[in-house]
Amino acid sequence: MVLLMVTKMLLVAAVGNAASVRISVLPGVISTTEPTYASWNIDSSCNRGFHQIDFSNKNLLAAATALYPSRLRFGGSGNDNLVYGLSEGSPECRGVAPTGCGYFDAGCLNASHWDKLWNLANLSGTEFIFGVSYGLDDACRQGRAYVWNASNAGRLLEYLRARRQTVWGFELGNEVNNNAAPPCNQTPPQQAHAQKVFSGMVAAAIPSAKLIGPDSGAKNPLEWLEGYLPLVSGLHAVTQHVYGGMNRKNFNNATQLDKSATEIGWYTQTLRKLAPGAQIWAGENGPTGGGNDGTCGRDSACGTYATTLWYADDLGMRAQHGFAQYQRQDLFGAYYGLTNSRDAKSCLLYTSDAADEEDSVDLGGRRIIKKKKKRTTRKKKKKKWNTKNII
């Protein structure tokens, strides 16, 4: 079904660019992905609804369960100014006074909200990746003199250990490279040093947890990765954030869809050279940036079938080139959210096909991948969900 769907999409995209279309399917396995390849994110920013949403909502749980097997990545711009107020009464959050509800406004994660978020992952059978705060406000005040303060992360790890709450993996910092210019003036060695400190903390508190990073963004990511990766070790996966720039005018243009090939080329080559033992991940990918208001800007294709073409194509393109994991931005909160768009159907088609075919999944055309065999587990029933009643 997925093969047929993507083939039709590729035909539609090619009609405007050529008089005839030829699609060939090559035999054999090109690349191997995780069973959780088509996964999703929850953005921690205030303007994506993180502080307002009820993570115990039954429709939200049904949506997460329907996407099984998958991984939930918690992160985003708001992640780097989030304080963990996990003690009774959240005294750690006194003095945290958001000036608004944008990307970077400070916020407090109390025990009740954390437990509901953790339960969402646990009850849906989703592997949980938590993005830990880099302390961006302090980093921008101190510039190149900044040294990561580990106390906030220490409180979180202690809370998890005391309650025996497991987390599959951790990240530290979100698009820190986007803050390399004044006034923040952050550098790869600063994030690498923070990663080394945090790695030791995780090894002591939750030794089974994987470490992932650096979650680089759009501003000079190659330069950042070349400065960061030689200074760290033990990363399970390396991540990069990419938004495809899709809109209502270019969504069915094959040239536009293939623009990601350049980024994929230098990214995979760099990782194979500097981090050969780490998996290659798409850590936060979306059709286009949502903007502070979440609308995806002028001529927006977000929330329409137009982005479904990009999503299916990008899943296949990256799988073909060795990506093991693909984290879609995001589950809810902006027009590009899976629960607000038709893209969820692509994700559901993939996960349904992956469950039915025990050894392979065809994404279409020449892009054939084979998923890793997973340990035998009881197959979960897919729950129906209603996107109208999540927030």
Side-chain angles (χ1 to χ4, degrees):
M1 183 180 292
V2 177
L3 174 60
L4 179 61
M5 179 189 74
V6 180
T7 300
K8 287 181 177 178
M9 290 178 174
L10 293 173
L11 284 169
V12 171
V15 165
N17 298 281
S20 61
V21 177
R22 180 180 179 182
I23 295 179
S24 59
V25 179
L26 301 177
V29 174
I30 293 175
S31 186
T32 302
T33 72
E34 295 279 16
T36 55
Y37 179 66
S39 286
W40 45 280
N41 297 342
I42 287 180
D43 196 303
S44 54
S45 303
C46 181
N47 63 0
R48 294 298 182 260
F50 170 69
H51 297 293
Q52 297 81 26
I53 198 164
D54 178 7
F55 288 111
S56 63
N57 182 290
K58 64 180 181 180
N59 283 306
L60 187 61
L61 175 59
T65 304
L67 297 173
Y68 175 91
S70 63
R71 288 178 181 143
L72 185 175
R73 171 194 171 257
F74 172 85
S77 300
N79 163 54
D80 279 334
N81 286 318
L82 193 62
V83 176
Y84 312 131
L86 302 174
S87 302
E88 186 175 353
S90 301
E92 301 91 346
C93 292
R94 291 170 188 162
V96 177
T99 56
C101 192
Y103 275 129
F104 303 103
D105 289 289
C108 176
L109 176 61
N110 62 29
S112 175
H113 208 44
W114 160 262
D115 287 340
K116 288 180 179 179
L117 174 61
W118 186 85
N119 281 329
L120 173 67
N122 187 48
L123 294 175
S124 62
T126 305
E127 294 174 338
F128 192 9
I129 303 166
F130 187 82
V132 171
S133 173
Y134 181 72
L136 190 59
D137 272 354
D138 287 341
C140 289
R141 280 192 291 267
Q142 299 175 31
R144 296 195 176 184
Y146 177 68
V147 177
W148 181 63
N149 186 337
S151 59
N152 194 29
R155 289 192 297 268
L156 173 68
L157 292 175
E158 181 57 34
Y159 184 88
L160 296 180
R161 183 168 59 178
R163 284 154 183 78
R164 297 183 179 179
Q165 293 176 331
T166 58
V167 172
W168 186 87
F170 288 102
E171 299 172 349
L172 174 59
N174 181 82
E175 300 179 1
V176 177
N177 66 302
N178 287 353
N179 300 280
C184 300
N185 295 310
Q186 294 302 288
T187 65
Q190 285 175 289
Q191 189 181 13
H193 179 266
Q195 182 67 40
K196 290 179 183 178
V197 174
F198 183 58
S199 176
M201 296 168 64
V202 172
I206 310 177
S208 63
K210 308 290 193 299
L211 294 173
I212 301 151
D215 290 281
S216 51
K219 296 183 179 180
N220 302 314
L222 175 56
E223 180 181 340
W224 191 271
L225 290 170
E226 289 177 335
Y228 172 89
L229 291 175
L231 302 178
V232 299
S233 61
L235 288 179
H236 175 78
V238 177
T239 57
Q240 161 83 348
H241 299 179
V242 177
Y243 289 84
M246 310 309 299
N247 58 44
R248 291 175 183 266
K249 296 180 179 180
N250 64 17
F251 74 93
N252 63 344
N253 185 293
T255 301
Q256 177 68 27
L257 291 171
D258 284 343
K259 280 186 176 180
S260 61
T262 300
E263 168 259 323
I264 289 172
W266 68 254
Y267 179 55
T268 53
Q269 290 175 16
T270 301
L271 268 57
R272 286 167 180 149
K273 176 182 177 182
L274 300 179
Q279 290 185 346
I280 302 170
W281 280 26
E284 182 184 302
N285 280 34
T288 192
N292 202 54
D293 60 2
T295 63
C296 298
R298 186 178 179 180
D299 297 321
S300 172
C302 293
T304 70
Y305 279 108
T307 61
T308 305
L309 175 62
W310 158 82
Y311 185 34
D313 185 78
D314 207 45
L315 280 169
M317 176 79 83
R318 293 181 188 278
Q320 177 197 0
H321 287 90
F323 283 68
Q325 186 73 15
Y326 191 109
Q327 298 293 140
R328 175 68 157 80
Q329 181 76 355
D330 54 8
L331 184 63
F332 64 83
Y335 284 16
Y336 54 45
L338 287 171
T339 54
N340 300 328
S341 73
R342 281 74 174 175
D343 291 8
K345 294 178 174 59
S346 294
C347 200
L348 287 168
L349 278 171
Y350 178 91
T351 54
S352 296
D353 199 51
D356 294 338
E357 302 292 336
E358 294 185 357
D359 62 349
S360 66
V361 180
D362 291 340
L363 285 178
R366 69 190 189 285
R367 299 167 185 171
I368 302 174
I369 66 172
K370 185 172 182 178
K371 72 186 186 72
K372 295 179 180 177
K373 290 187 177 180
K374 196 175 184 181
R375 63 183 182 278
T376 303
T377 57
R378 178 174 58 85
K379 186 178 290 186
K380 295 192 175 187
K381 292 183 178 180
K382 302 278 185 179
K383 293 184 179 180
K384 294 182 179 179
W385 49 283
N386 181 354
T387 62
K388 295 180 180 179
N389 299 316
I390 290 179
I391 298 180

